[in-house]
Amino acid sequence: MYGVMTERIDQVFAALSDGTRRQILTMLLEDDMAVTDVAEPFEMSLAAISKHLTILTKAGLISQEKRGRVKWCKLEPEAMRDAIVWIESFGQLEALNFDAFEAYLDRELGQSETN
């Protein structure tokens, strides 16, 4: 079970690592879009956009379906849940006290210079 969840999170983060894919997800926040409409604002081929959409689909972040002759993309925000839970778990950690850390480094570095 742990391995499957980790693999899903890895796929989500890999998909989100690209700016074009993040822009596509932002566009799909508004509504479902035809693939050609998704491709319109980008200066790349339809084949390149299709590769991005395939990565997003494999990560579960979007779904694609054919309606007549047109392929539509739909945001699937539920796919981000495991990744969000993982990220939020770090919010429970106590914030690092940078002043104390800096003072520690000054002490340690100062001691190593005198030795």
Side-chain angles (χ1 to χ4, degrees), residues 6-115:
T6 300
E7 187 177 313
R8 277 197 316 257
I9 291 172
D10 289 349
Q11 284 184 316
V12 168
F13 282 128
L16 294 174
S17 70
D18 183 86
T20 299
R21 292 192 288 269
R22 290 192 306 272
Q23 284 181 281
I24 291 170
L25 292 175
T26 301
M27 292 165 50
L28 292 173
L29 277 171
E30 298 294 319
D31 201 2
D32 299 359
M33 295 179 74
V35 169
T36 53
D37 293 334
V38 170
E40 186 180 316
F42 299 99
E43 293 183 16
M44 61 180 72
S45 68
L46 192 54
I49 288 294
S50 290
K51 286 181 183 180
H52 285 294
L53 295 175
T54 297
I55 292 168
L56 291 169
T57 301
K58 285 182 179 178
L61 294 168
I62 68 168
S63 58
Q64 296 183 62
E65 72 170 321
K66 241 180 158 165
R67 298 179 195 162
R69 292 189 191 188
V70 179
K71 195 174 219 181
W72 287 80
C73 300
K74 177 183 178 184
L75 184 66
E76 299 292 347
E78 184 66 23
M80 288 190 214
R81 184 169 43 155
D82 290 338
I84 290 168
V85 168
W86 184 83
I87 290 169
E88 286 178 341
S89 69
F90 289 95
Q92 296 173 4
L93 300 177
E94 194 171 311
L96 179 62
N97 182 335
F98 287 106
D99 292 333
F101 184 61
E102 185 177 14
Y104 168 79
L105 287 177
D106 286 342
R107 281 193 313 274
E108 291 299 310
L109 293 174
Q111 286 177 2
S112 64
E113 289 175 6
T114 60
N115 292 336

